Amino acid sequence: MEDKIETVARWIRDAKRVVVFVGAGLSTESGIPDFRSPGGVWDKYDPEDFYFQNFITKESSREKYWQMATEMYDSMKEAKPNKGHLAIAELERIGKLDCLITQNIDGLHFKAGNSPEKVLELHGTAMYVTCLSCHKRYERDPVQERIKSGERAPRCDVCGGLLKPATISFGQSMPEWETAEAYRRSEACDLFIVIGSSLVVHPAAYMPVLAKRSGAKLVIINRDETSCDYMADIILNGSAGFIISSIVERLKGFMDLT
Ligand code: APR
């Protein structure tokens, strides 16, 4: 592991454009469960209930969705960035982060110090709510209070439309600009680092493939096997927080940064 950490640190030092791509595995060390590990979200809830089509057509699905989303938001709201998030923010600070593509909706990259213009939230964010009809934006906490005081599937107070956290559900269209920009950055980078993702949900999971096909080196940092291991140049299996923070420490040593 040590020699791989050293090699990846050297690759980052020498790279012109480093793209970091993260999934829920980066946030488990902040107490937020991931989706497909044992005990993860899809062990507790049936993904079927969270298809966008069901949300917009069935009141019962909306109520189930809001129940899950309310529980998940409670764990996210109190969560603190862990050393993995902090290491990625450090990469930006030392000028070695071209772009951070995240599948996570927990807002922890910003709490860790990454700038909004550096982060592409492919699956949206749970930190606020929008009306699906008039697109009015609501802060999340007041809507959380409405749910906790009995509203089961809140509606917009302007147009009566359906309110939904600003996250992307299965079957819901991806954010256009963020997705196109993620493709562009993945194609243009020379080093693509995946952290804490099983790489099974598309189009997000296509980004490492695109990067590799465009000539980038591909590094995968993950506890378990991923669907792109076969094409990775280096795989580091273990704790995301420990591994990426060790790499950044080593990098700072190379760059004579304290
Ligand atoms: N350190 C390293 N890897 C970890 C850690 C950890 N502390 N904890 C979990 N992992 C790894 C797991 O081994 C797993 O392979 O992180 C990966 C998380 O995979 P998923 O749970 O599938 O999460 P993700 O890849 O982000 O899912 C993508 O699926 O349901 C949708 O919208 C949801 O954005 C999500 C998307």
Side-chain angles (χ1 to χ4, degrees), residues 33-231:
D34 66 11
F35 293 89
R36 293 172 184 83
S37 293
V41 173
W42 298 140
D43 268 358
K44 208 172 159 193
Y45 297 98
D46 177 359
E48 283 291 312
D49 289 334
F50 301 97
Y51 275 75
F52 188 58
Q53 197 53 28
N54 295 339
F55 184 92
I56 53 178
T57 52
K58 286 192 273 185
E59 183 74 5
S60 61
S61 292
R62 281 194 283 281
E63 292 177 2
K64 269 191 194 168
Y65 177 97
W66 273 106
Q67 190 216 326
M68 173 196 81
T70 302
E71 280 174 32
M72 282 183 75
Y73 179 69
D74 278 343
S75 71
M76 285 177 196
K77 187 163 176 276
E78 305 311 323
K80 301 270 180 297
N82 62 59
K83 58 185 182 180
H85 298 102
L86 296 171
I88 298 167
E90 186 70 358
L91 267 186
E92 175 183 340
R93 198 181 64 76
I94 61 181
K96 277 297 189 179
L97 181 70
D98 177 65
C99 163
L100 169 57
I101 302 172
T102 187
Q103 301 173 96
N104 299 341
I105 57 173
D106 54 37
L108 285 176
H109 301 301
F110 308 112
K111 289 183 187 171
N114 276 114
S115 341
E117 60 274 16
K118 282 283 184 183
V119 182
L120 296 172
E121 292 181 303
L122 283 190
H123 294 164
T125 176
M127 297 301 122
Y128 65 87
V129 171
T130 49
C131 171
L132 296 181
S133 305
C134 72
H135 306 298
K136 178 183 173 188
R137 178 170 159 156
Y138 293 76
E139 287 308 312
R140 183 66 190 263
D141 289 344
V143 179
Q144 196 75 355
E145 286 320 307
R146 287 169 59 178
I147 299 281
K148 293 195 170 171
S149 52
E151 252 187 279
R152 299 164 68 88
R155 288 193 170 256
C156 178
D157 54 18
V158 169
C159 75
L162 300 176
L163 293 191
K164 180 179 175 296
T167 56
I168 306 297
S169 299
F170 294 122
Q172 189 173 0
S173 51
M174 297 279 284
E176 265 178 49
W177 183 82
E178 287 79 355
T179 306
E181 185 63 8
Y183 276 124
R184 273 191 292 274
R185 297 300 182 101
S186 300
E187 253 177 337
C189 73
D190 53 354
L191 180 57
F192 194 96
I193 303 175
V194 174
I195 308 175
S197 179
S198 57
L199 296 175
V200 297
V201 171
H202 287 268
Y206 181 61
M207 304 299 164
V209 178
L210 186 58
K212 183 70 187 165
R213 282 200 185 136
S214 310
K217 285 197 186 72
L218 177 60
V219 174
I220 295 180
I221 300 168
N222 205 53
R223 193 186 57 213
D224 301 318
E225 200 180 332
T226 79
S227 70
C228 289
D229 282 6
Y230 70 96
M231 61 165 71

